[in-house]
Amino acid sequence: MEQKNKNVRLIGLDLDGTTLTSEKVLTPHTKEVLEKCLAEGIQVLPATGRVKTGIPEYLTQIEGMRYVILSNGASVLDLKEDKVLYQNCIPWKRALELFDVLETYHTFYDVYALGTGWCEARFYDNVGNYGIEKHIENLVRTTRNRIDDLRVWMKENKAPVEKINMFFAREEDRQRAFKDLREIKDLAVTCSLGNNLEINGATCNKGDAMLHLGKILDIPVESIMACGDGNNDFEMVKMAGVGVAMENGEESLKEVADFVTKTNDEEGVAYAIEYFCDLK
């Protein structure tokens, strides 16, 4: 592949393990590269498993940062217009059925719906019992609304579910759930952390959302670049015209990528963008 590609017009960036360092920091140099892209008319956007409230403001407030892909592709949001451009959710009645399945595992679970997270008090008050790292525990507490009963809330609000998130204290429980849930035809099951599983609708992924945004913006797939490190970045990296995997990423992701960049702690995103894009 040619090193410089003046045709890159849209860049989707995973956050954790990709754009952000292990300390969840956006380095000054990476920020500068993103600002250069936006200034030159290249759309740069977070493409994350997080909800909107989980995206750091220092990212969304970069001048020109307009779009975000949320909940592994369940929602594409125009920040400037505060408008949902595309959604691919689990119907609320189907989510209720899935809760019964999840109760058969020793797991923490919550949902993303209406643009934010909803977590039952029995989980919210005991986050530390599920092997969740401290910085993730803080993220959970700040991006979830604490409620008494998720089923009651779902029946009252009838809200489509963007994503169901699960945490496991024991790896054997996670592997059993992963094996079982992957056999359910209308679900896509991925992970972004060492002890979690993430459930979306079968056709929902970051790649699907990225291509839909490309169509909306009239940007062809060959002009789309995507960077990721995890299982939930697979389709996005594979589908993009320029698919980039992090050196610290999953081996399966590296196999489908066009390019393997440096690690997230070595500003691998900035390196890849400078490698492929002819920035002034």
Side-chain angles (χ1 to χ4, degrees):
M1 181 176 292
E2 292 183 11
Q3 179 171 330
K4 299 297 182 183
N5 184 345
K6 295 183 180 180
N7 294 321
V8 171
R9 295 170 52 200
L10 177 66
I11 305 175
L13 302 174
D14 174 58
L15 298 184
D16 301 302
T18 301
T19 307
L20 306 181
T21 68
S22 297
E23 299 300 318
K24 306 301 176 187
V25 170
L26 180 70
T27 68
H29 178 60
T30 300
K31 183 180 180 185
E32 180 185 7
V33 170
L34 302 187
E35 288 172 336
K36 280 184 180 179
C37 287
L38 291 163
E40 294 185 22
I42 301 172
Q43 292 292 345
V44 179
L45 62 143
T48 179
R50 301 186 187 192
V51 286
K52 182 186 175 185
T53 52
I55 301 178
E57 288 188 353
Y58 57 72
L59 268 172
T60 56
Q61 289 181 354
I62 294 176
E63 186 173 352
M65 184 80 73
R66 179 164 181 175
Y67 304 101
V68 290
I69 290 174
L70 304 170
S71 303
N72 290 339
S75 182
V76 179
L77 187 64
D78 182 336
L79 296 172
K80 184 177 178 181
E81 302 288 338
D82 192 24
K83 176 180 168 186
V84 175
L85 300 178
Y86 175 69
Q87 268 197 326
N88 190 350
C89 296
I90 299 170
W92 71 271
K93 287 184 178 179
R94 180 62 178 131
L96 285 175
E97 295 171 351
L98 292 172
F99 295 160
D100 294 334
V101 176
L102 303 188
E103 287 291 341
T104 65
Y105 305 107
H106 180 64
T107 183
F108 165 116
Y109 67 89
D110 57 24
V111 303
Y112 293 173
L114 302 179
T116 190
W118 304 91
C119 182
E120 288 188 356
R122 60 179 170 137
F123 297 130
Y124 189 95
D125 296 342
N126 296 285
V127 176
N129 294 344
Y130 296 91
I132 301 172
E133 294 179 21
K134 205 66 184 175
H135 66 272
I136 299 295
E137 182 178 328
N138 293 333
L139 183 66
V140 168
R141 292 190 186 280
T142 55
T143 57
R144 269 68 160 180
N145 294 295
R146 181 182 181 275
I147 57 176
D148 291 330
D149 191 315
L150 196 50
R151 287 172 176 77
V152 170
W153 185 90
M154 291 297 302
K155 289 173 183 175
E156 288 176 350
N157 290 273
K158 298 180 173 53
V161 170
E162 296 172 29
K163 186 177 85 169
I164 300 173
N165 186 63
M166 306 168 70
F167 287 106
F168 296 83
R170 297 191 300 263
E171 177 62 15
E172 57 266 32
D173 292 333
R174 188 175 84 105
Q175 289 299 331
R176 182 169 70 90
F178 193 32
K179 179 177 179 294
D180 294 346
L181 294 169
R182 279 194 305 178
E183 294 177 0
I184 301 176
K185 301 295 186 188
D186 63 339
L187 302 182
V189 185
T190 59
C191 58
S192 61
L193 300 168
N195 70 326
N196 88 327
L197 291 178
E198 302 177 10
I199 302 173
N200 293 94
T203 61
C204 176
N205 57 70
K206 294 181 185 181
D208 169 72
M210 184 73 71
L211 295 191
H212 271 88
L213 180 59
K215 288 178 182 177
I216 291 168
L217 301 178
D218 197 24
I219 296 174
V221 66
E222 57 267 24
S223 295
I224 296 175
M225 178 176 176
C227 301
D229 74 304
N231 183 274
N232 65 337
D233 300 314
F234 187 87
E235 292 87 357
M236 177 173 75
V237 169
K238 186 177 181 180
M239 292 176 179
V242 182
V244 177
M246 309 302 290
E247 178 58 43
N248 55 286
E250 298 282 345
E251 289 303 315
S252 58
L253 194 68
K254 295 177 188 178
E255 290 174 8
V256 300
D258 299 301
F259 182 73
V260 178
T261 188
K262 297 178 180 181
T263 71
N264 64 316
D265 290 324
E266 297 172 312
E267 300 178 321
V269 161
Y271 181 81
I273 291 174
E274 290 176 322
Y275 188 89
F276 285 106
C277 301
D278 194 10
L279 301 176
K280 296 172 185 175

